[in-house]
Amino acid sequence: MTLTIALIGSGAIGSRIVELLDAGTVPGVRLAGVVPHGNAGTGFSFEEALEVADVVVECAGVAAVAEFGPRTVAAGRDLLVTSIGALCEESLRTKLLDDGPGRTFLTTGALGGLDAITAAGAGGTIHRITLESRKLPASLVQPWMDGETKERLLTATLPVELLRGGPGELIKAFPKSTNVVSALALAAGNWDVVEAVLIADPGARHTAHHVVAETSLGTFDICVTNEASPGNPASSALVPHAVVRGLKSLANASGSFI
Ligand SMILES: NC(=O)c1ccc[n+]([C@@H]2O[C@H](COP(=O)([O-])OP(=O)(O)OC[C@H]3O[C@@H](n4cnc5c(N)ncnc54)[C@H](O)[C@@H]3O)[C@@H](O)[C@H]2O)c1
C-alpha cells in the first residue's frame, strides 16, 4: 500500500523531506504536493491535500498547526506534527489528540529518549524532568525584544540564561524553542513536571539539549547535540530524518519500535 502525504511548509525541514522522498529513500510513501504559504500559487491547495493525502505533514510553525491541524483530523486525515510547541495550548491539544477521527502523530524531532520517558510515564511515575537548552544567541532574537535587549544578546561574550519555566512560559516568549519542552511534557503525560532553562551561549557550536528525567522506573540522563540544519541555523539537521523515519513506520507495519 502506498501512503500519500502532503506537506505544509517547505523551509529547511520541509525541503529536506522533499529531497529525501524524491531520492526514493522512503519506499511506499508518495508526496502529493506542498501547500503553499499565503497566495504563492503552486497549483496545490490545502483543500486538495485533504482530498488526496492519507497524512498531512506540518513543518511550518506553531501557527500553521492551529490553522490546519484541527481541519485535518476533523476531515479524517492523519496529521504529523513537527511544531509540537503548538500543543501547549490545551484546546488545540484536545482537538488534535482526542477529537479525531483523524490521528495526530508527533515527530521525535530533535530529541532522543522520548520513548523511555513515555514508557516510564505509562508504567510508573514521572517525578521531574529538567531540560537545559543551549543555543546560539542569534537564533534566539525575538520580534518582541527591543533594540537594547537584542544588542545585549548579540554581543554577549558569556552564556546568558534567558528564561526558566515550564512549556507555557516558553511558548509565550520563545515560540520556536518550545518543541522540545512540549515533546517532553507530552511524553510524560504531564505539563507540570517539566522545567526548562533556555541559555544563549555565544560559545555554542551547536544547539544542545540536556534532559534529566527522574522517574519511579529509573533516571534518564540524555544529552543531544544537534548539527544545525544547513537551511536554518535555528533548526536541527536531524528533524527531517525523524519525520521521514516516522513516515516509514506509518507506511510499513514492520513491528519495530526502534
Ligand atoms: N520537533 C522538533 O524537534 C523541531 C525542531 C526544529 C523545528 N521544529 C518546527 O519545525 C518548523 C519548521 O522548521 P524549519 O526549520 O523548516 O523552518 P523554516 O522557517 O525554514 O520553514 C518554515 C516554512 O513554513 C512555511 N510556512 C509558514 N507558515 C505557513 C502556512 N501557514 N502555510 C504554508 N506554509 C507556511 C514558510 O513559508 C517556510 O517555508 C519550525 O517552525 C518548528 O516549529 C520542530
Side-chain angles (χ1 to χ4, degrees):
M1 190 200 93
T2 299
L3 188 80
T4 301
I5 69 154
L7 274 183
I8 301 175
S10 58
I13 294 173
S15 59
R16 186 73 183 115
I17 293 171
V18 173
E19 279 173 13
L20 293 166
L21 295 179
D22 282 352
T25 54
V26 201
V29 177
R30 185 184 78 85
L31 176 63
V34 180
V35 175
H37 194 184
N39 295 323
T42 61
F44 190 73
S45 66
F46 176 62
E47 287 66 31
E48 223 172 319
L50 290 187
E51 270 171 38
V52 300
D54 302 304
V55 185
V56 173
V57 179
E58 172 282 323
C59 33
V62 293
V65 179
E67 184 180 352
F68 299 110
R71 286 195 276 159
T72 301
V73 293
R77 299 305 186 188
D78 291 339
L79 174 73
L80 198 163
V81 175
T82 65
S83 301
I84 297 174
L87 279 82
C88 273
E89 214 264 291
E90 199 179 342
S91 67
L92 181 59
R93 188 159 76 234
T94 305
K95 280 183 197 151
L96 298 186
L97 298 182
D98 302 333
D99 285 359
R103 300 168 297 171
T104 295
F105 299 99
L106 309 171
T107 182
T108 50
L111 206 54
L114 292 164
D115 47 355
I117 294 172
T118 308
T125 306
I126 309 273
H127 302 306
R128 186 166 178 251
I129 300 178
T130 56
L131 165 71
E132 183 186 281
S133 294
R134 282 176 185 266
K135 298 189 174 192
L136 271 175
S139 70
L140 291 166
V141 170
Q142 301 298 313
W144 53 260
M145 289 179 174
D146 60 29
E148 197 185 318
T149 311
K150 272 185 204 166
E151 183 64 18
R152 219 177 323 123
L153 183 58
L154 293 174
T155 55
T157 52
L158 292 172
V160 181
E161 182 179 310
L162 291 179
L163 191 136
R164 184 177 285 264
E169 279 100 32
L170 219 66
I171 193 152
K172 281 188 206 126
F174 296 94
K176 288 189 178 163
S177 298
T178 46
N179 294 307
V180 166
V181 69
S182 299
L184 288 167
L186 286 156
N190 186 338
W191 288 77
D192 298 324
V193 290
V194 188
E195 184 182 290
V197 182
L198 184 60
I199 296 171
D201 186 349
R205 278 195 49 243
H206 302 97
T207 291
H209 302 293
H210 182 197
V211 177
V212 180
E214 295 164 31
T215 87
S216 61
L217 295 174
T219 298
F220 315 127
D221 192 324
I222 304 151
C223 286
V224 178
T225 303
N226 290 113
E227 290 295 333
S229 157
N232 179 357
S235 226
S236 299
L238 183 67
V239 181
H241 298 282
V243 172
V244 163
R245 178 245 184 211
L247 291 171
K248 258 185 199 162
S249 301
L250 292 177
N252 309 300
S254 68
S256 167
F257 298 116
I258 54 171

